[in-house]
Amino acid sequence: MISSYIEGTELDLDEINRLFRRILVAESAYEAAADLWEELGPPELDDDLRMSLYLQWAAFTDWVELKPEEEEEASLEMVRAAQEWLALDLADDAALDRYFDHWLHEVLGYARHETRST
């Protein structure tokens, strides 16, 4: 069974995962995150996976750009988010929903909406 997130995306998941792994080892998590964000965008509104990842990593990079004094904290969260992504079962919609709910809403502060497009 394939996740509806994965089924509805045109992302090259091998490339996305490579960029996530780079965040784990980069001297600058921010620079690696900026590269991931550039690879993701601009997203199509009907691609839930791409849109969710794009918003998440835009918020992470904005965090550093708008609050440079918090770069260390933001970088630690970027690494955690990358680790969690790489451990996800991408065939599991519920796991992806939990991942995006946590990062987009609980950590990064996006408002919740009734539709899936997080």
Side-chain angles (χ1 to χ4, degrees):
M1 185 172 158
I2 191 166
S3 160
S4 62
Y5 280 97
I6 303 305
E7 186 174 68
T9 191
E10 293 183 15
L11 285 175
D12 178 344
L13 291 175
D14 290 333
E15 177 64 10
I16 296 303
N17 287 339
R18 184 190 70 75
L19 291 165
F20 270 109
R21 286 189 298 276
R22 188 169 156 244
I23 291 169
L24 300 180
V25 298
E27 188 170 316
S28 169
Y30 165 78
E31 293 294 329
D35 290 344
L36 172 62
W37 179 76
E38 286 180 29
E39 179 70 23
L40 292 166
E44 296 293 324
L45 294 177
D46 63 345
D47 187 332
D48 287 334
L49 181 64
R50 179 176 242 143
M51 178 61 78
S52 297
L53 287 170
Y54 180 85
L55 291 173
Q56 176 182 342
W57 292 93
F60 273 133
T61 56
D62 284 352
W63 184 359
V64 173
E65 292 165 8
L66 298 172
K67 297 180 181 179
E69 70 279 5
E70 295 181 14
E71 182 172 1
E72 185 175 340
E73 178 184 355
S75 293
L76 290 172
E77 292 297 307
M78 289 178 200
V79 168
R80 277 190 43 224
Q83 289 169 329
E84 288 179 18
W85 171 265
L86 291 167
L88 279 174
D89 175 359
L90 297 181
D92 185 346
D93 274 336
L96 286 161
D97 286 340
R98 285 189 304 273
Y99 175 84
F100 290 123
D101 184 61
H102 173 73
W103 288 105
L104 288 171
H105 307 298
E106 295 172 11
V107 175
L108 296 167
Y110 280 98
R112 285 183 168 82
H113 299 286
E114 294 303 313
T115 63
R116 159 147 332 137
S117 292
T118 50

